[in-house]
Amino acid sequence: MTGLRTGQLADAAGVNVQTLRYYERRGLLDAPRRSPGGHRLYPAETVTLLRVVKTAQHLGFTLAEVAELLDAGRHRHGRDTGLRARAGEKLAEVEQRLADLTVIRDTLRAAISAGCDDLIACAGSSCCPLPFAELAGRNDRAEPR
């Protein structure tokens, strides 16, 4: 019987053994064959699959999203459920996060430049660049009356 044993696969893919077990439980990896001695034996292409999963995670996809992408690829559910559509959605999320982070960065720079040193004192100052009044207004609207 040929195949990669658990440690060999983990080393080749750059993951740990617990990750392999977890991915099996999550259904990302098929249960491997067993050697006559009971050792798990994974096909060599599992290395590529694991690298794909880890790369997708680094791009911001959750394991659930990765599982859906893998399933769509296996079953060819149609173009709208494939990588192109999901990558477009993920790109929109990333761009929104970048916009949010830009606002946060600019606000923090303004607070540093304004010499804000005490949150309570700053909150009461009209020249404070931190959005205390705006956030308070949002919280008032969000709280049930």
Side-chain angles (χ1 to χ4, degrees):
M1 292 188 110
T2 61
L4 298 171
R5 289 176 58 171
T6 302
Q8 294 170 317
L9 175 62
D11 288 343
V15 299
N16 62 48
V17 173
Q18 291 81 11
T19 299
L20 297 178
R21 303 274 198 276
Y22 182 68
Y23 287 0
E24 272 184 52
R25 287 192 307 272
R26 294 282 309 256
L28 293 166
L29 290 179
D30 293 331
R33 295 185 331 256
R34 297 282 183 154
S35 72
H39 297 286
R40 290 179 155 113
L41 295 174
Y42 295 88
E45 44 295 343
T46 308
V47 173
T48 301
L49 174 64
L50 289 168
R51 288 179 180 161
V52 166
V53 170
K54 296 309 286 181
T55 299
Q57 284 185 293
H58 286 294
L59 291 173
F61 289 97
T62 65
L63 279 180
E65 291 169 331
V66 173
E68 290 172 8
L69 285 169
L70 292 172
D71 187 54
R74 287 182 189 120
H75 297 104
R76 306 282 182 223
H77 286 271
R79 301 183 132 211
D80 61 333
T81 59
L83 179 58
R84 183 175 296 176
R86 298 291 173 90
E89 293 168 5
K90 190 57 65 178
L91 178 59
E93 288 176 25
V94 168
E95 288 174 344
Q96 182 59 56
R97 284 197 314 243
L98 284 171
D100 292 345
L101 287 171
T102 299
V103 169
I104 291 168
R105 181 199 63 205
D106 293 347
T107 303
L108 290 172
R109 281 183 177 162
I112 291 167
S113 294
C116 294
D117 203 28
D118 180 312
L119 284 177
I120 301 301
C122 197
S125 171
S126 61
C127 65
C128 178
L130 296 176
F132 293 112
E134 179 186 327
L135 292 174
R138 281 189 203 163
N139 288 339
D140 289 343
R141 287 188 299 269
E143 291 178 10
R145 295 183 181 197

